[in-house]
Amino acid sequence: MKKYYLHREPPVFRVDYEKDLNPEQFAAVMHEKGPALVLAGAGTGKTRVVTYRVARLIEGGARPENILLLTFTNKAASEMMRRAEQLVGRNTMGLFGGTFHHVANLILRQHYLLAGYRQGFSIIDREDSRELFESCVSEIFRKEIVLPKGAVFAEICSLSKNTGSATPEVVTLRFPHFVNAIEEIEKVIALYEKKKFTLNLMDFDDLLVSWKKIFEGQEKIREYYSLKFRHILVDEYQDTNKLQSDIIDLTVGGDRNLMVVGDDAQSIYSFRGANFENILRFPERYPDAVIFKLTTNYRSTPEILYLANRIIANNRKQFSKELHAVRQTGESPNVVPLKDVFEEAEFVASVIIDMNADGRSFDDIAVLYRSHYQSMQLQMELQRRGVPFEVRSGLKFFEQAHVKDIVSYLRIIVNPFDEISWKRVLKLVRGIGNITAGKIWEFIAKSDSPADALPEAYRTVLKKSAEGFNRLVGVLAELRAEKYFSSPSSAIEHVLNNGYEDYLYTTYPNAEMRIEDIQQMSRFALRYDSLDTFLSELALQGVAETEAGDADRAEGKVVLSTVHQAKGLEWEAVFLIGMNDGKFPSAKSLKSDDEEEERRLFYVGVTRAKEDLRLCYPISSEDWNALGFLRPSRFLRELPKDSFEEMTVEDV
């Protein structure tokens, strides 16, 4: 029965926290005051705790406008506020909730003058930032000089601001390809910052930098917001960077009512600038902090959690905790050695088909991997067998721009009259756009041999493009050698090693990942002794996918994803493939002493599985025509034997 109140007071619903929450969650939600660190293990109800905490604060008398909820997506904040509103039966209007950037924008619209900006400042996105950087490069350097393109400049600048590192340090550690151009890079960034200021523009990072600048330089403003935000909650705290952590510390008021929620065991985004030390050293910065641990897992079977606990126990830097299962006992995780990546793909595809035949929807199955390139063989195998799938880690392998670039080079050699491929390759030369590429094609298309006519098209090319154009002429001339027609793998490597690798470093912030993709394509091409056959099969793969259309939509699609992209998600059955040293953990991480983050990444992958978990690795390497042998991942070798069952293809 509804209760009615005088003066049209809204009804107050008393939440039964003890009934709705388990003891661990209840303790965190009912925390009285002061700083608190909630270590929320995978599948332990982190969102529930944050939602009920907001409800508890409001029910306890806190005004919504005195609560600050910081999340990594505005959608997450809105959902938490909506659910809290349903719990307490009151409007949460006025509560500051959203991403750091969203809250920064609200603050800066009130105090833009203190940050040095004028009223009505505009916020530019990454595309605008890229274009502005490229404008700055052309303004400073009139002569031809090899510098990063706008997207790479934007990444360098962003990492510098978010990590508090100087530009030379960021370039040296993250973009060593440009270590000899640091002085020029700093000049471009300085002009970029000056132009933004003059034009009254902010990029996304400026929002946070300005927020911090105001709070550091204007004590009265900082005190105002510290009094306003009497309660601060931060979700996914393990993913915060140094800039975000500094802002939180500056915003916390005298009551120090700060609750951060996260899981140190799921800190996996250092490549984006996230700082693992933020959560690890929280108790040092807040010595009076109360630490709560959520360890009751509602997602996975006891067997999967036993394996996950054994994995993360090998990390030295961590808050130790053991996850406990609510679900009933199930099957042990399987470790499956396969002959090579081709047998690995065949195995995974076969088991997925069997699972589906036994009634499991494709939607309930995911294949996870460390790097996107590891999905190539599996994509082709699933297409061949008609298994519907969705790639969450990026575009499907042969739809990616860098892969299509390489294929265009090869298609020109096989079919010299392929206008589409010619124009794509020509536009890879610095300074050649649609118009110039069209003129070059019109010139060479009149010849019986367009490749032979290419050098004569030199006069249609601008001076700034001359060097790149001549290099292209040389590469294409070399590619026409007979040996490349019978070795598509060698042809791919030749293109990569003769200018295209430099193009990737100059153009993309994630050049190394794209190079890995191309190297994987080269290894795959070892199976072919005809360039024509190789290209035909790639084309037919695309046709097969198109013809499949939306067939089996009712059965859903298998998800293919990197572990990074899969964080926060879950499936009934999970395959982790490519579990080899140098692949998972990655070769780069082993060189840079990032093994503990790689182990956390493995832990995240394993804890996505509810019922079925299979860890697969090839034992021979296609790098040497299957003559080389790969070591299983050290993460598998260090596991106790009772945490999994080893099986073979014959056991399936």
Side-chain angles (χ1 to χ4, degrees), residues 85-148:
E85 196 171 272
Q86 289 179 337
L87 285 171
V88 298
R90 300 183 198 174
N91 196 318
T92 59
M93 188 70 68
L95 190 154
F96 268 61
T99 65
F100 283 85
H101 299 89
H102 173 73
V103 175
N105 181 50
L106 296 177
I107 292 173
L108 289 169
R109 291 297 171 186
Q110 302 298 317
H111 307 289
Y112 51 87
L113 290 174
L114 297 177
Y117 287 84
R118 302 186 297 279
Q119 185 175 11
F121 66 84
S122 300
I123 301 172
I124 59 174
D125 60 20
R126 271 303 178 99
E127 182 64 20
D128 295 329
S129 179
R130 180 190 66 77
E131 291 180 1
L132 185 56
F133 264 119
E134 293 187 353
S135 172
C136 292
V137 171
S138 62
E139 187 171 324
I140 297 178
F141 300 102
R142 301 293 181 183
K143 63 180 181 178
E144 179 68 13
I145 183 172
V146 179
L147 283 176

Side-chain angles (χ1 to χ4, degrees), residues 404-421:
K404 293 178 76 171
D405 289 344
I406 297 293
V407 170
S408 292
Y409 272 95
L410 306 184
R411 284 172 57 177
I412 286 173
I413 303 306
V414 173
N415 176 15
F417 297 94
D418 185 337
E419 177 183 354
I420 295 173
S421 294

Side-chain angles (χ1 to χ4, degrees), residues 63-206:
R63 298 171 65 88
E65 56 265 34
N66 294 141
I67 300 173
L68 173 62
L69 172 60
L70 291 168
T71 62
F72 275 81
T73 66
N74 288 320
K75 181 180 178 182
S78 298
E79 179 63 17
M80 289 177 187
M81 289 188 287
R82 184 188 67 79
R83 289 168 62 179
E85 196 171 272
Q86 289 179 337
L87 285 171
V88 298
R90 300 183 198 174
N91 196 318
T92 59
M93 188 70 68
L95 190 154
F96 268 61
T99 65
F100 283 85
H101 299 89
H102 173 73
V103 175
N105 181 50
L106 296 177
I107 292 173
L108 289 169
R109 291 297 171 186
Q110 302 298 317
H111 307 289
Y112 51 87
L113 290 174
L114 297 177
Y117 287 84
R118 302 186 297 279
Q119 185 175 11
F121 66 84
S122 300
I123 301 172
I124 59 174
D125 60 20
R126 271 303 178 99
E127 182 64 20
D128 295 329
S129 179
R130 180 190 66 77
E131 291 180 1
L132 185 56
F133 264 119
E134 293 187 353
S135 172
C136 292
V137 171
S138 62
E139 187 171 324
I140 297 178
F141 300 102
R142 301 293 181 183
K143 63 180 181 178
E144 179 68 13
I145 183 172
V146 179
L147 283 176
K149 288 196 175 179
V152 180
F153 265 112
E155 187 73 7
I156 292 171
C157 191
S158 179
L159 282 170
S160 177
K161 290 177 180 177
N162 284 292
T163 62
S165 304
T167 298
E169 183 181 352
V170 172
V171 173
T172 302
L173 292 177
R174 300 292 189 96
F175 302 91
H177 197 71
F178 296 104
V179 73
N180 294 326
I182 288 177
E183 185 177 341
E184 290 82 359
I185 289 172
E186 288 185 302
K187 286 181 181 178
V188 172
I189 290 176
L191 179 59
Y192 170 77
E193 297 294 345
K194 181 180 178 181
K195 276 183 172 289
K196 281 189 301 175
F197 192 76
T198 302
L199 298 170
N200 204 30
L201 303 175
M202 285 194 198
D203 60 28
F204 292 138
D205 301 313
D206 292 330

Side-chain angles (χ1 to χ4, degrees), residues 208-481:
L208 302 192
V209 170
S210 298
W211 181 357
K212 181 181 177 182
K213 176 184 176 181
I214 291 172
F215 277 27
E216 283 183 328
Q218 304 290 331
E219 185 63 23
K220 289 186 178 179
I221 297 295
R222 190 194 69 79
E223 287 180 357
Y224 167 79
Y225 281 100
S226 293
L227 289 171
K228 177 178 177 59
F229 299 135
R230 294 181 180 275
H231 301 276
I232 301 176
L233 292 91
V234 185
D235 189 25
E236 301 285 10
Y237 187 69
Q238 79 282 347
D239 294 336
T240 56
N241 57 44
K242 185 180 187 304
L243 178 56
Q244 291 165 333
S245 175
D246 289 347
I247 287 170
I248 294 166
D249 292 345
L250 284 167
T251 309
V252 172
D255 293 337
R256 293 162 60 79
N257 290 325
L258 168 65
M259 176 175 282
V260 300
V261 184
D263 184 8
D264 59 300
Q266 297 186 74
S267 179
I268 59 174
Y269 293 117
S270 65
F271 69 97
R272 294 182 186 169
N275 190 345
F276 177 64
E277 299 294 326
N278 288 349
I279 192 167
L280 197 65
R281 296 189 175 178
F282 185 85
E284 294 177 20
R285 300 204 315 282
Y286 296 88
D288 54 334
V290 180
I291 299 178
F292 300 95
K293 294 183 180 181
L294 307 184
T295 61
T296 304
N297 177 285
Y298 294 89
R299 177 186 300 153
S300 307
T301 62
E303 290 78 11
I304 291 173
L305 292 186
Y306 180 72
L307 175 67
N309 288 330
R310 302 289 78 73
I311 290 168
I312 205 63
N314 288 293
N315 269 10
R316 185 173 55 84
K317 296 180 180 178
Q318 65 165 309
F319 294 104
S320 60
K321 56 186 176 295
E322 288 260 332
L323 297 183
H324 306 284
V326 170
R327 295 185 63 151
Q328 294 182 346
T329 187
E331 298 292 329
S332 292
N334 296 136
V335 172
V336 190
L338 288 312
K339 178 185 174 184
D340 52 29
V341 292
F342 302 104
E343 185 174 78
E344 182 180 57
E346 292 167 3
F347 167 77
V348 173
S350 295
V351 176
I352 288 174
I353 290 170
D354 289 344
M355 286 180 171
N356 183 249
D358 290 339
R360 175 162 285 162
S361 169
F362 288 129
D363 278 334
D364 293 330
I365 304 170
V367 184
L368 308 181
Y369 32 84
R370 173 64 180 84
S371 300
H372 183 51
Y373 77 85
Q374 292 174 285
S375 69
M376 190 187 87
Q377 281 83 5
L378 181 60
Q379 287 187 41
M380 297 189 75
E381 186 65 21
L382 293 177
Q383 284 180 16
R384 188 177 70 82
R385 298 194 182 204
V387 177
F389 66 92
E390 173 187 359
V391 182
R392 297 269 183 89
S393 52
L395 294 170
K396 291 187 176 180
F397 192 86
F398 293 103
E399 293 174 356
Q400 298 175 106
H402 50 290
V403 174
K404 293 178 76 171
D405 289 344
I406 297 293
V407 170
S408 292
Y409 272 95
L410 306 184
R411 284 172 57 177
I412 286 173
I413 303 306
V414 173
N415 176 15
F417 297 94
D418 185 337
E419 177 183 354
I420 295 173
S421 294
W422 267 112
K423 288 182 176 179
R424 185 181 189 96
V425 168
L426 287 166
K427 286 188 290 185
L428 297 176
V429 177
R430 183 186 289 263
I432 293 182
N434 286 324
I435 294 175
T436 305
K439 289 180 179 178
I440 295 172
W441 167 249
E442 286 179 11
F443 180 85
I444 65 176
K446 298 173 184 176
S447 170
D448 292 336
S449 177
D452 287 331
L454 186 62
E456 299 174 26
Y458 178 84
R459 55 179 173 270
T460 65
V461 177
L462 296 175
K463 188 175 180 181
K464 66 178 180 179
S465 305
E467 183 180 342
F469 179 78
N470 288 333
R471 190 174 192 178
L472 173 62
V473 170
V475 170
L476 290 176
E478 292 163 356
L479 269 180
R480 295 167 69 194

